Amino acid sequence: MEDEEMEKKVQQYLQRKGFRLTELALQEERNRLSTSAISDVALARSDNDPARYHDGYSRLRTWAYSSLDQYKHELLRVLYPVFIHSFMDLVAEGHMQEARSFFHTFREDHEVMHSRDLQKLEGVLSPSHLEEMELARSFRKNKFKIKLCEYSYELLLQYLQKTQALVVLGVINEHITFEVSPGQPSLISDDADVVALIGTSKDLAKQINQKEVHWGLLEDSVEERMEKALAESDKIEAESKDADAEDNKKRNAEGGKQGASLKKAKKDKLVGATGKNVRTETSMVSVAPRVKPELTLPATPVEVEQSILEDLRNRAQLNSVALPSVSFYTFVNTHNGLNCSSISHDGSLVVGGFSDSSVKVWDMSKIGQPTKMSSSQSENGSSQGERISTLDEGKRTYTLFQGHSGPVYSAAFSPFGDFLLSSSSDSTIRLWSTKLNANLVCYKGHNYPVWDVQFSPVGHYFASASHDRTARIWSMDKIQPLRIMAGHLSDVDVSELVGPIR
């Protein structure tokens, strides 16, 4: 009340003195303060409105999909973290019905890339599930790292400033870290490693890797008992042979010195061999150190232990003839995009065909080594869509072949590895040179997707199989097939040439 009287007296004083401009300025300030108070009340009410998450994400999604194609695939990367945290925030606030509606409305946007995560989060039915589920805890404790080019990042900032999307802005500030790089946007094929989860999980992995690693057999394990049993059985067998040899010696003592010396030599040879086996087995047992288990080993029934011991005895021994199977390289983060792969005959090159119409070739001798960027185009007048590029400042470890207009279903090296064939859903077969890094020929003849293509053992000729129910034989120097084998009632899925063509 005192404030109102004071303002009224000040206004009367200004009118009496004729300070018209000052009076107007005071009136505008009073109106601004009242408007601000009303907006604060409205904002406080909207903070409890669950519909703000649906509206904020829907507007961000519409804006991202309507962006320029050159930057759209980068801006779409922001949708998944915003979607996940909007859903979990709704659950944490207790708006379960709105959370389920939000989840099922927009889950199709991320079904292809994150289907496993969505299947797990679909089971979140209460705020307590967010604390119990490891995936949800990881999302809430860690941050997403998203790679964007500089211009895409500026577009996102302009959108947030223009729309004043407080919900989206809060999620981005709290749960997303951007890695901004100068230059052009990254390729769509590189989307596998541009969105990563960083934070405490990474620190936990470092702590685990810093622990000392002990190798060897567990104390009192089935394998150790088996080795002890084998050593004891060999020792008993050697002792029994020694006893038999002594008995034979006593019985044949009258046979003469020559016979006795001969048997003695045989016995010494046998005992020496047996003792050698026992010492070898004992030394093998002592080579592997014993490691004390951190957890108590479970009690194993006698029947199960005997079956395990029998299985261990029957295992093949590793030697120069029977070598173990070893995985040297693995395709990771393909996200269902890898359709086929093949290895050259000398094992130096590996090729993969992908759903984004690209063919990638890895040189095994250059993996892990920094390489320079180079790009070239086919010298025989290939189309503008055909492009061959190698490593991008050491980040990409493969040579990229682009020319197909559909998913690549098969790829095969020539016997000497200097040529590469690829077949695609665009009904074409392309011949690439691994020496020139160029597309040499595009073979057209099939009417539907080509499922498989294979070189003959001598090269030069190759066979193809297609959805058009035909198999065809080609020659590298002719763009038309040499033979068309028709008659199948359904797709021809596999082709193979096992001998020379005559």
Side-chain angles (χ1 to χ4, degrees), residues 421 428-429 431 441-445 462 474-476 478-479:
L421 284 171
T428 67
I429 304 168
L431 178 69
V441 187
C442 178
Y443 301 96
K444 299 179 180 180
F462 60 92
W474 308 74
S475 174
M476 290 174 57
K478 291 180 171 56
I479 61 174

Side-chain angles (χ1 to χ4, degrees), residues 126-139:
S126 67
S128 61
H129 291 173
L130 296 177
E131 299 298 331
E132 298 171 358
M133 183 180 294
E134 182 180 356
L135 178 64
R137 292 201 309 269
S138 177
F139 280 147

Side-chain angles (χ1 to χ4, degrees), residues 33-73:
L33 291 175
S34 61
T35 304
S36 177
I38 295 174
S39 63
D40 290 341
V41 173
L43 183 61
R45 292 178 179 175
S46 64
D47 286 343
N48 298 324
D49 185 11
R52 67 189 189 279
Y53 290 98
H54 186 284
D55 296 340
Y57 179 83
S58 178
R59 292 175 183 175
L60 177 65
R61 177 178 179 272
T62 303
W63 172 79
Y65 276 103
S66 61
S67 301
L68 293 176
D69 292 341
Q70 186 178 3
Y71 306 102
K72 181 191 297 184
H73 68 279

Side-chain angles (χ1 to χ4, degrees), residues 138-201:
S138 177
F139 280 147
R140 292 178 72 83
K141 293 180 180 180
N142 304 328
K143 283 190 173 184
F144 283 91
K145 183 181 72 174
I146 301 179
K147 296 181 181 179
L148 297 178
C149 74
E150 190 172 0
Y151 190 73
S152 297
Y153 183 66
E154 292 179 357
L155 288 176
L156 179 61
L157 292 181
Q158 292 175 7
Y159 167 79
L160 295 175
Q161 294 173 358
K162 181 179 178 181
T163 59
Q164 293 294 317
L166 299 181
V167 173
V168 176
L169 186 60
V171 171
I172 292 177
N173 286 337
E174 187 175 355
H175 301 290
I176 300 179
T177 298
F178 292 101
E179 183 178 328
V180 182
S181 59
Q184 296 296 319
S186 59
L187 298 175
I188 300 179
S189 59
D190 295 336
D191 277 1
D193 58 346
V194 295
V195 180
L197 196 64
I198 59 174
T200 56
S201 59

